[in-house]
Structure formats: C-alpha cells, structure tokens
C-alpha cells in the first residue's frame, strides 16, 4: 500500500533522462556562461555611462570593439577629446573597461556612442551583440533595451 506505482517510477526516470540529455550539457558549457556574463557586463556599462552623463553633467563615451568595451569622459567637461577613463563605481582605481573572454565576441553597429548631459545617445539606434544576444541604445532617451 505504501510506495510508488510502476507508472510513477517510469515517469520520473523518463523526466530524469530528458534532463540528462537536454539541460545538463548546457550547465557545463563554460562559453555560454561567460557569454551571458559578458553580455550583462556590456549592457550594464552602457547603462552606467548614460546615468553617469546625466549625474555628472558631462558627456560619456562608450567605445565598443571586437574584443571589449571602455568608458571615457572628456578631460574638461565642456570640450576636448574623450581621453579620461571612467572609474568603476565599486573600485575607484580601475578603469571601466573589459575584454571579452575567450570564445566570446562583441559586435556593434557603431564603434562609439556618446551620452550627453541629458542622457541622449549619439548616434542613436546602435545595436550591440555579444555571441548572438543583443541590446539597442535608443538615441533620444539613451535607454538601453534588451532585444
């Protein structure tokens, strides 16, 4: 009277078999984890650049390359070239930049985006992809949205 029926046992074994075939190999794919982490870091950097531009009143440039990203501000707030590295908020000594891990690629429709003091992005409509996952930076609002 106590215990499981044969149908219940077969169903559980079948579900475990499906998980073993489909889900478990994905859990051990290190490139997929590194890709997702770098995607989140890149989108977060774009969002941080927009918020820093609004908070500081000085433009922020986000540069995207095939192997990473970096954030810069002008030497003087109003003019000049973007040559001063933005510091990470959690570690004020290190530059807000990152290089893609091995097996992860970054591509963007523009190599640089500048956020002004109102948070607008120039050029607008830039799409950034990291191993197939994409986000877009809206020009008028500077909003970074996942696609």
């Amino acid at each position: 009277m106590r215990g499981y029926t044969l149908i219940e046992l077969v169903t559980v074994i079948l579900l475990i078999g499906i998980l073993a075939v489909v889900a478990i190999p994905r859990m051990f794919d290190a490139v997929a984890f590194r890709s997702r982490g770098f995607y989140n870091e890149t989108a977060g950097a774009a969002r941080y650049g927009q918020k820093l531009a609004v908070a500081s009143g000085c433009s922020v440039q986000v540069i995207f390359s095939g192997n990473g990203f970096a954030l810069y501000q002008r030497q003087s707030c109003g003019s000049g070239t973007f040559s001063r590295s933005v510091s990470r908020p959690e570690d004020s000594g290190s530059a807000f930049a990152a290089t893609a891990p091995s097996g992860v690629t970054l591509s963007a429709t523009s190599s640089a985006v500048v956020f002004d003091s109102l948070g607008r992005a120039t050029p607008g409509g830039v799409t950034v992809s990291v191993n197939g996952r994409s986000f877009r930076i809206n020009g008028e609002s500077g909003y970074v949205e996942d696609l």
Side-chain angles (χ1 to χ4, degrees):
M1 287 301 178
R2 291 187 157 185
Y4 300 104
T5 66
L6 184 61
I7 293 173
E8 291 171 332
L9 289 174
V10 169
T11 303
V12 169
I13 291 171
L14 183 67
L15 289 173
I16 291 173
I18 291 171
L19 283 175
V21 169
V22 176
I24 292 176
R26 289 185 181 180
M27 292 175 58
F28 296 108
D29 185 7
V31 173
F33 280 113
R34 288 192 303 253
S35 173
R36 178 61 189 224
F38 188 68
Y39 170 82
N40 289 338
E41 186 178 8
T42 305
R47 290 181 179 109
Y48 180 73
Q50 192 253 359
K51 291 178 183 359
L52 179 64
V54 171
S56 67
C58 299
S59 298
V60 174
Q61 182 183 47
V62 182
I63 295 179
F64 301 107
S65 64
N67 64 350
F69 66 85
L71 276 70
Y72 294 97
Q73 283 185 311
R74 298 178 196 270
Q75 284 296 352
S76 62
C77 188
S79 63
T81 61
F82 289 95
S83 57
R84 185 177 57 164
S85 293
V86 171
S87 297
R88 289 186 177 272
E90 72 275 5
D91 181 14
S92 60
S94 66
F96 206 135
T99 303
S102 64
V104 178
T105 59
L106 182 146
S107 64
T109 56
S110 176
S111 61
V113 175
V114 176
F115 292 102
D116 65 11
S117 62
L118 297 176
R120 297 176 296 203
T122 305
V126 173
T127 301
V128 180
S129 297
V130 177
N131 276 21
R133 298 188 69 86
S134 301
F135 65 87
R136 181 180 356 206
I137 301 171
N138 184 296
E140 190 58 32
S141 66
Y143 181 70
V144 177
E145 69 175 315
D146 293 320
L147 298 177

